Amino acid sequence: MSAAIIGAGVIGAGWGARFALMGWDVSIYDPSNGARERFEAVYATACESLPALFEHTLPEPGKITWCDSVADTVANARWIQESAPEQLAIKYKVFAEIQAHCPEDAVLASSTSGFMPSELQKGALRPEQIIVAHPFNPVYLLPLAELVGDENTIARAKPIIEEIGMHPLHIKQEIEAHIADRFLEAVWREALWLVNDGIATTEEIDNAIRYGFGIRWAQMGLFETYRLAGGDEGMHHFIEQFGPTLEFPWTKLMDVPELTPELIKRIADQSDAQSGAYSIRDLERVRDANLVSMIRALKPRQYGAGALMNKIDERLVNSSASYHDDQLVTVHRTIPVDWMDYNGHMNESRYGQVFSDAADTVLRLCGADEAYVASGGSFFTVDCHIQYRNETLPGETVRCLTVIAPLDGKKLKLSHEMRRASDETVLSTAEQLLVHVDMSTRKSSLPPSHIASALTELREGQA
Ligand SMILES: NC(=O)c1ccc[n+]([C@@H]2O[C@H](COP(=O)([O-])OP(=O)(O)OC[C@H]3O[C@@H](n4cnc5c(N)ncnc54)[C@H](O)[C@@H]3O)[C@@H](O)[C@H]2O)c1
């Protein structure tokens, strides 16, 4: 699988990093000086954050190749992502060159924020091949891609977008600026008026969003949130109650304040006062760490982007036993930033979680899975001794190797060793004792023969 990135600025670099980290080979073309260094910085940042969204390790990253021409970049691509500047003349030139050299069945997607497919396709060799796949910055973390264009091309595009961990939002009717940016434009216009009229500063507007509705939007969006605002009577009641206020002359959404030098200076000065103490790099780091933590927070309740990440985890989980140094691999994952404590390393409670996940892998492999628990049997942990040997840092990939001791009646003893995957340093060890339980009495009991023999088989496999 190979993706071609044409234009590796803020957006193209983000696409390239996402494709590569999801296991695709990536070829890149960008004519500007310094594009490669800028891409490498984005890729390094993405390596720290994207893998941390998941509970299992991602496939090996794909190979990244820099090309000197569009022709070489697209020759073998299955997906081509155009992220050149937002000017039709440039995009037309780029599409003509791409289509002269790319496979006819490749998806050719544009990152354009504003143009519709019918505009992009004018004069094209194969118009239907060109669709819009509009992402959000940072592309390697935010999982939305708005897809607009030919139905057949989109049918081929959707599974690829899903494969790289994104939600393909198919917009059935083309419209300038698609859906999400129209929405942002409305908010942006209102914010400009609030600053222009001296009602609020840039910081006050940001606070209105981040302390309030911004947190709601990330998990329930607009309509589901408003449904709750209508109380038990729901959406109908909400619209009856608040609908008439739309007639009030509150907003100036159809107008834009004139962007005079004074207004631009006011906004820039307020923004400097608000955020000037931090570099763009500092702010990007904070943004990415917060995004990882927020998306991860949505996983347990299967909401929004969290539910999407859970689906990818299901794809990544190993359904059969795998071995490393002749030992059973029970956890292989990247340490997420929200597991870090004030010392800058993984909090001790998370070691317990890693070893608990390791035990769950053993139990799943021997058939004591969720269905078995529902049928009335389970294992409870009754003792666990953990040794912390070395610091475990966020962004590191770790592997947990587990030795299964002979099953003694109702008892199962597991010895775990958590190692840093890059150099095999032992970070922590644990000795864990589990007891088989009859869930109807919640008392210890002998495991059924199929579980006992599956455990014996696993133990012999590691020997
Ligand atoms: N910045 C955003 O937040 C954002 C979000 C979604 C979509 N987009 C869209 O993505 C596209 C790229 O935006 P960006 O913000 O990454 O811009 P950018 O200026 O950061 O990057 C554009 C890149 O294209 C390169 N380039 C210039 N001419 C080229 C050519 N002929 N062939 C190949 N590459 C060429 C430039 O060297 C530059 O690296 C635009 O269409 C924009 O609307 C931007």
Side-chain angles (χ1 to χ4, degrees):
M1 288 162 317
S2 162
I5 302 297
I6 305 296
V10 174
I11 294 303
W15 276 110
R18 178 179 276 279
F19 269 107
L21 286 171
M22 296 305 281
W24 283 55
D25 289 337
V26 172
S27 51
I28 310 179
Y29 171 75
D30 190 303
S32 71
N33 289 334
R36 193 169 179 154
E37 289 69 34
R38 286 197 301 274
F39 171 81
E40 274 159 15
V42 171
Y43 186 63
T45 315
C47 288
E48 285 169 17
S49 51
L50 175 70
L53 291 174
F54 307 108
E55 314 309 316
H56 306 281
T57 189
L58 289 169
E60 278 295 299
K63 185 166 168 258
I64 297 168
T65 310
W66 281 79
C67 301
D68 293 330
S69 69
V70 169
D72 287 348
T73 316
V74 302
N76 297 309
R78 202 169 136 212
W79 184 283
I80 300 154
Q81 188 69 36
E82 172 277 313
S83 306
E86 186 76 343
Q87 290 170 37
L88 270 182
I90 297 182
K91 297 209 186 267
Y92 286 148
K93 199 167 151 282
V94 168
F95 288 142
E97 217 176 333
I98 293 172
Q99 290 200 309
H101 298 98
C102 75
E104 290 189 14
D105 61 353
V107 174
L108 170 44
S110 172
S111 298
T112 179
S113 303
F115 299 120
M116 299 183 286
S118 60
E119 291 172 287
L120 299 174
Q121 292 165 350
K122 273 186 194 142
L125 191 60
R126 293 178 295 279
E128 70 291 344
Q129 187 178 21
I130 301 172
I131 61 166
V132 168
H134 178 240
F136 289 80
N137 188 31
V139 184
Y140 52 82
L141 278 184
L142 291 187
L144 178 63
E146 293 179 307
L147 300 184
V148 203
D150 177 76
E151 298 271 333
N152 293 326
T153 312
I154 287 191
R156 283 185 286 124
K158 269 186 174 175
I160 295 177
I161 286 292
E162 280 167 348
E163 193 190 315
I164 61 167
M166 299 176 92
H167 174 74
L169 180 62
H170 181 185
I171 302 176
K172 317 274 183 335
Q173 217 174 320
E174 66 171 19
I175 179 175
E176 291 93 346
H178 330 306
I179 294 180
D181 274 353
R182 293 207 143 214
F183 202 44
L184 288 181
E185 176 95 0
V187 176
W188 176 229
R189 277 178 197 239
E190 194 63 51
L192 288 178
W193 276 116
L194 291 170
V195 177
N196 180 74
D197 296 350
I199 292 164
T201 62
T202 57
E203 185 167 11
E204 286 163 349
I205 291 169
D206 285 349
N207 286 344
I209 296 170
R210 58 188 161 200
Y211 292 129
F213 64 87
I215 308 175
R216 293 193 313 210
W217 279 0
Q219 41 103 39
M220 283 195 173
L222 183 64
F223 284 96
E224 198 162 48
T225 297
Y226 279 169
R227 186 182 174 83
L228 294 178
D232 286 341
E233 291 163 78
M235 203 64 193
H236 209 276
H237 176 64
F238 175 78
I239 294 177
E240 271 171 5
Q241 194 180 5
F242 295 106
T245 63
L246 294 175
E247 312 248 320
F248 295 170
W250 275 1
T251 70
K252 299 178 182 174
L253 284 180
M254 296 311 292
D255 302 323
V256 192
E258 194 188 337
L259 292 171
T260 58
E262 293 73 37
L263 177 56
I264 294 172
K265 183 171 182 326
R266 187 188 301 177
I267 294 172
D269 286 351
Q270 289 182 359
S271 176
D272 286 349
Q274 179 186 347
S275 318
Y278 311 101
S279 69
I280 294 296
R281 195 75 196 92
D282 291 339
L283 291 172
E284 281 174 350
R285 277 224 175 81
V286 170
R287 176 199 65 190
D288 286 5
N290 286 337
L291 286 173
V292 169
S293 303
M294 285 155 72
I295 294 173
R296 289 181 57 76
L298 295 171
K299 291 179 92 174
R301 278 157 299 284
Q302 294 278 12
Y303 245 84
L308 193 63
M309 299 309 120
N310 286 338
K311 269 202 207 158
I312 296 161
D313 269 324
E314 279 168 27
R315 207 172 75 201
L316 295 173
V317 69
N318 226 339
S319 50
S320 54
S322 67
Y323 294 89
H324 181 81
D325 285 354
D326 286 340
Q327 280 173 283
L328 184 64
V329 178
T330 46
V331 168
H332 191 189
R333 64 164 303 141
T334 302
I335 302 302
V337 67
D338 53 316
W339 286 15
M340 190 174 78
D341 67 15
Y342 49 79
N343 291 317
H345 55 209
M346 186 163 88
N347 180 267
E348 65 189 74
S349 66
R350 298 297 181 175
Y351 289 80
Q353 173 156 358
V354 169
F355 294 125
S356 162
D357 290 347
D360 280 350
T361 302
V362 173
L363 297 180
R364 185 173 42 76
L365 289 172
C366 75
D369 53 12
E370 276 177 40
Y372 178 69
V373 176
S375 78
S378 190
F379 281 88
F380 287 2
T381 305
V382 291
D383 195 22
C384 185
H385 294 262
I386 298 176
Q387 280 201 336
Y388 308 97
R389 301 266 196 95
N390 275 294
E391 289 188 290
T392 305
L393 304 178
E396 279 185 337
T397 299
V398 299
R399 199 183 274 115
C400 195
L401 305 173
T402 299
V403 175
I404 303 169
L407 183 71
D408 171 17
K410 307 166 186 173
K411 292 183 209 153
L412 173 62
K413 193 179 150 211
L414 302 176
S415 305
H416 307 287
E417 193 172 80
M418 186 176 92
R419 296 185 193 171
R420 186 184 296 132
S422 58
D423 61 5
E424 303 291 338
T425 301
V426 176
L427 300 168
S428 177
T429 57
E431 297 291 320
Q432 208 178 21
L433 187 66
L434 292 88
V435 171
H436 185 267
V437 169
D438 178 335
M439 293 296 273
S440 60
T441 59
R442 299 189 86 80
K443 297 256 183 313
S444 62
S445 68
L446 281 172
S449 58
H450 72 279
I451 301 253
S453 54
L455 277 167
T456 307
E457 215 172 287
L458 271 179
R459 186 167 56 75
E460 281 165 4
Q462 78 199 349

